[in-house]
């Protein structure tokens, strides 16, 4: 393989550029993949739909957007210089700071010269004769490469609700995942938020004291846990810098690659008093401590889960003044931690304010959006602004908006219609030379994501290096390896309680009722995933056929 950038005209007069590798997406994974592949002396081109780098942190600029991961566990770990020169201002940094960080990385490693912005990829077709991928963008241009790496992000396709009349509304409206780059003003306005997932919670708690009136339309409530954010002073930052190796080691040993490690004891082996004291301790700690530092069996055993669920229910009752309102905010259809836990700062206290109303749309569904607001089965709400915090077409959405075709013109959408099938969550049989970063059935989907991104990117880079060393031009997951991995993914999922609950983990999205209920993540944990990937690489990339 070599530097082989060429340009040739196509039938429609557009230029067709040729590269060794095309990467789709300039978020955290695409940026790092570009950086590493340059080290293999390959010509690499990145297509990015946005006007700048950052992916999730570029698009999700809604009020209150911030990390739920400790800032210092989230940054890239590959460069000591980068680690030592960057100062985080808060334990859980806000979106503007994270985006500044990612721009700093792009500047430092001179990434932008190989990134084409405002270029949304619409198709990627494998040419079997030439063993290459032809990629098309929205503006009709095409480019060809031997390798295609999708870095499209698991939560990148914003999903509007399937409610009638959205276009009728005459006021301002925004989806959180497509938040405008201009300042949005809230003062004096009657605003509503539809959706109470991790995003809705961050928006609600941030704008409640800025708006004239806030109406929250809640369908299914979630258990929210305290974020307990605080500034990082200079001495603490110095200490963090001195201990980065320990921090990343700790992450590498934990299930979700956070600094929080599951407690190996059973929730049921302690006396109620001891258990209570442990839960209180976790509730007082920052971040995902109460979710991912809890007894491991709270996620695998219903009785153990019931103990933390009851604790969290009591916390909500303690924090919300009106007991009837508190009951509405308590999930009744699932236990704590079985859906993504939103982290909050004063979220429950928002409902003690006079200018905030909660509308339980499970009991009184939204019938339609009108020119002036929202109409439910029971009432009509006059509004100046509607904020849709209705989430994403999770994990598969980023792929579904690209026409991806492999061997024999098989579409990826068809192949995955009954659920994803992959080998290591890295390749899918029938799509040679295409690698999927941070995608279905890959541990990065249940992860402090940059930690798993680095593993994914480094593993793939080594796979390509191995091909270079052996003069291989084509790598394809075998059907047998894919079958075995897919079975392992489901077996690992069935050891947990996640499949018992409807969530985006399970590909359940009521706005897309055609989706099949199936597990999208990998719940074997980061250490086991890494072990399996390393074993495959050490065994001459067993399960991949190369030629
Ligand atoms: P989520 O977690 O998918 O939450 C979406 C929210 O929007 C959730 O409360 C939904 O209620 C609600 N929703 C969706 N469609 C509708 C309709 N049609 N009517 C009313 N309410 C609706 O997305 P987020 O953006 O909050 O978080 C996504 C991930 O980003 C999160 O897990 C983090 O990892 C970061 P439902 O629960 O479906 O009843």
């Amino acid at each position: 393989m070599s530097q082989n950038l060429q340009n040739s005209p196509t039938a429609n007069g557009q230029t067709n550029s040729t590269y060794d590798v095309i990467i789709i997406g300039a978020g955290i994974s695409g940026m790092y993949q570009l950086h590493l592949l340059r080290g293999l002396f390959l010509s690499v081109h990145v297509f990015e739909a946005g006007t700048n780098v950052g992916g999730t942190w570029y698009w999700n600029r809604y009020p209150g957007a911030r990390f739920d991961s400790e800032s210092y566990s989230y940054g890239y770990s590959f460069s000591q210089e980068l680690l030592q020169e960057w100062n985080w201002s808060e334990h859980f940094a806000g979106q503007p700071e994270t985006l500044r960080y990612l721009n700093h990385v792009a500047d430092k490693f001179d990434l932008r010269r190989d990134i084409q912005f405002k270029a949304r990829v619409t198709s990627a077709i494998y040419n079997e004769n030439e063993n290459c991928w032809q990629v098309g963008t929205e503006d009709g241009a095409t480019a060809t490469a031997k390798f295609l790496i999708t870095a499209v992000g698991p939560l990148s396709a914003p999903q509007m609700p399937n409610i009638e009349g959205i276009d009728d509304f005459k006021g301002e409206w925004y989806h959180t995942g497509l938040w405008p780059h201009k300042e949005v003003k809230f003062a004096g306005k009657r605003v509503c938020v539809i959706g109470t997932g991790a995003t809705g919670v961050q928006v609600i708690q941030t704008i409640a004291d800025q708006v004239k009136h806030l109406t929250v339309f809640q369908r299914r409530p979630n258990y929210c846990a305290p974020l307990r954010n605080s500034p990082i002073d200079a001495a603490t930052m110095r200490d963090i810098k001195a201990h980065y190796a320990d921090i990343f080691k700790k992450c590498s040993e934990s299930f979700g690659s956070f600094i929080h490690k599951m407690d190996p004891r059973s929730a049921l082996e302690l006396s109620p008093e001891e258990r209570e004291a442990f839960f209180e301790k976790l509730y007082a700690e920052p971040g995902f401590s109460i979710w991912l530092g809890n007894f491991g069996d709270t996620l695998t055993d219903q009785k153990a889960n019931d103990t933390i669920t009851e604790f969290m229910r009591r916390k909500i009752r303690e924090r919300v003044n009106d007991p009837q309102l508190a009951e509405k905010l308590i999930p009744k259809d699932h236990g704590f931690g079985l859906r993504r836990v939103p982290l909050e700062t004063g979220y429950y206290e928002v409902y003690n304010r006079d200018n905030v109303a909660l509308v339980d749309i499970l009991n009184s569904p939204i019938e339609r959006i009108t020119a002036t607001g929202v109409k439910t089965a029971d009432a009509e709400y006059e509004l100046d602004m509607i904020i849709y915090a209705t989430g994403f077409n999770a994990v598969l959405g980023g792929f579904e908006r690209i026409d991806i075709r492999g061997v024999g013109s098989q579409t990826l959408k068809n192949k995955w219609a009954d659920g994803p099938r992959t080998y290591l969550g890295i390749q899918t049989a029938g799509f040679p030379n295409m690698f999927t970063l941070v995608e279905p059935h890959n541990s990065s989907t249940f992860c402090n994501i940059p930690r798993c991104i680095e593993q994914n990117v480094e593993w793939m880079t080594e796979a390509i290096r191995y091909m270079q060393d052996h003069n291989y031009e084509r790598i394809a997951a075998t059907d047998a390896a894919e079958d075995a991995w897919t079975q392992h993914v489901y077996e690992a999922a069935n050891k947990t309680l996640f499949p018992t609950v409807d969530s985006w983990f399970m590909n359940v999205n009521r706005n897309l009722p055609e989706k099949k209920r199936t597990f999208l993540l990998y719940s074997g944990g980061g250490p086991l995933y890494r072990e399996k990937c390393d074993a495959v690489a050490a065994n001459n990339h067993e399960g991949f056929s190369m030629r």
Side-chain angles (χ1 to χ4, degrees), residues 96-128:
E97 185 170 347
T98 308
L99 192 55
R100 269 201 307 281
Y101 168 75
L102 293 171
N103 275 282
H104 170 75
V105 174
D107 291 340
K108 183 175 176 68
F109 297 101
D110 189 20
L111 298 180
R112 288 193 193 80
R113 71 182 149 90
D114 288 319
I115 305 175
Q116 187 179 334
F117 294 105
K118 291 195 266 184
R120 182 174 287 285
V121 170
T122 50
S123 65
I125 315 287
Y126 178 65
N127 179 328
E128 218 168 333

Side-chain angles (χ1 to χ4, degrees), residues 83-100:
L83 287 168
Q84 294 304 319
E85 74 194 7
W86 185 262
N87 295 316
W88 293 104
S89 72
E90 292 179 275
H91 283 270
F92 300 89
Q95 174 272 338
E97 185 170 347
T98 308
L99 192 55
R100 269 201 307 281

Side-chain angles (χ1 to χ4, degrees), residues 232-296:
I232 296 180
D233 61 27
T236 309
M237 196 62 229
R238 269 197 304 279
D239 190 54
I240 289 168
K241 286 181 183 178
H243 292 97
Y244 266 128
D246 301 333
I247 292 168
F248 294 128
K249 180 165 183 293
K250 207 169 174 183
C251 291
S252 75
E253 290 167 351
S254 81
F255 173 79
S257 306
F258 286 88
I259 60 166
H260 313 285
K261 199 167 180 181
M262 286 297 198
D263 192 304
R265 292 174 298 170
S266 164
L268 304 173
E269 76 187 45
L270 273 67
S271 71
E273 294 74 24
E274 286 169 327
R275 197 167 48 228
E276 179 76 7
F278 184 66
F279 289 160
E280 283 290 358
K281 174 181 152 304
L282 296 182
Y283 197 77
E285 289 176 357
F288 280 137
S289 197
I290 193 138
W291 187 22
L292 302 174
N294 215 317
F295 304 116

